[in-house]
């Protein structure tokens, strides 16, 4: 994955990558997305973990690094589609939904990505401390646009409690 060095080019590449990834995921049948195999290649797993950490660093780096955050999300989603599920697949799909909502204003696509991320997390044997992050992104940033707070207060509380338990 090549990251751009110049501001304008980097922003354009991030937006193009976001649009291409959203289009690619929309074209894949939901049944296929729900039944992805688990990634077993150790070098790909290490790359995925590195991309996740890079994405978090970009996010915590502020507005200047938003486009690096988008690039890492789209790359992690593409890795999931190409090589299978890994520890951060569900959160990468929820982040893709969030950025689809923020950057493209597509509420329906964001909702479908959020629901897909919840199914991935539900069906996955790869349970980890990211349940709190997943819950926060999905319930606080995406689903409140289409559902009432009362309808998802219980899963949001469970995600919060999971975060408190795992630190």
């Amino acid at each position: 994955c090549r990251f751009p060095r110049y501001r304008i080019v980097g922003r354009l590449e991030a937006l193009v990558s976001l649009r291409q990834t959203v289009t690619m995921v929309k074209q894949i049948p939901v049944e296929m997305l729900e039944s992805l195999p688990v990634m077993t290649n150790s070098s790909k797993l290490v790359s995925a973990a590195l991309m996740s950490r890079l994405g978090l660093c970009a996010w915590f780096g502020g507005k200047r690094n938003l486009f690096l955050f988008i690039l890492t999300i789209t790359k992690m989603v593409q890795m999931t589609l190409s090589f299978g599920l890994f520890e951060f697949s569900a959160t990468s799909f929820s982040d893709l939904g969030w950025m689809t909502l923020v950057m493209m204003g597509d509420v329906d696509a964001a909702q479908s990505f959020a629901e897909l991320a919840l199914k991935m997390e539900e069906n996955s044997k790869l349970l980890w401390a990211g349940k709190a992050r997943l819950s926060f992104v999905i319930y606080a940033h995406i689903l409140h646009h289409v559902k009432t707070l009362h309808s998802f207060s219980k899963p949001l509380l469970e995600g919060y409690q999971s975060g408190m338990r795992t630190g």
Side-chain angles (χ1 to χ4, degrees):
C1 178
R2 217 180 97 245
F3 289 111
R5 292 187 294 195
Y6 304 104
R7 264 190 209 168
I8 301 299
V9 174
R11 290 177 180 172
L12 288 175
E13 284 190 26
L15 294 175
V16 167
S17 178
L18 178 64
R19 183 166 297 278
Q20 287 175 343
T21 305
V22 167
T23 303
M24 180 176 40
V25 173
K26 282 182 176 180
Q27 292 175 349
I28 298 173
V30 177
E31 297 80 28
M32 187 180 152
L33 290 172
E34 290 176 356
S35 63
L36 287 169
V38 175
M39 186 186 297
T40 56
N41 186 333
S42 60
S43 66
K44 299 296 181 193
L45 287 168
V46 169
S47 297
L50 180 66
M51 292 298 286
S52 177
R53 286 180 179 81
L54 178 63
L56 283 174
C57 290
W59 175 252
F60 290 127
K63 286 191 292 188
R64 278 185 67 162
N65 298 320
L66 176 65
F67 298 102
L68 180 59
F69 179 67
I70 293 170
L71 284 171
T72 57
I73 289 168
T74 56
K75 186 62 180 173
M76 288 193 308
V77 169
Q78 292 166 6
M79 288 177 72
T80 299
L81 296 175
S82 298
F83 306 111
L85 294 173
F86 56 94
E87 190 175 15
F88 308 103
S89 291
T91 54
S92 63
F93 272 86
S94 67
D95 289 340
L96 179 70
W98 183 22
M99 288 298 111
T100 301
L101 182 63
V102 170
M103 303 302 283
M104 298 169 58
D106 190 349
V107 177
D108 295 331
Q111 181 182 4
S112 67
F113 295 152
E115 290 170 356
L116 179 63
L118 286 172
K119 286 180 185 173
M120 282 181 178
E121 192 265 336
E122 204 174 86
N123 297 337
S124 178
K125 306 264 190 285
L126 304 170
L127 298 177
W128 65 291
K131 184 173 183 170
R133 178 178 165 201
L134 180 71
S135 296
F136 177 69
V137 170
I138 290 175
Y139 297 114
H141 294 296
I142 299 171
L143 291 184
H144 76 277
H145 289 278
V146 292
K147 295 182 179 180
T148 63
L149 177 62
H150 181 53
S151 67
F152 58 79
S153 60
K154 184 178 178 186
L156 184 59
L157 180 62
E158 289 172 3
Y160 171 78
Q161 289 170 341
S162 171
M164 293 301 289
R165 278 193 304 270
T166 58

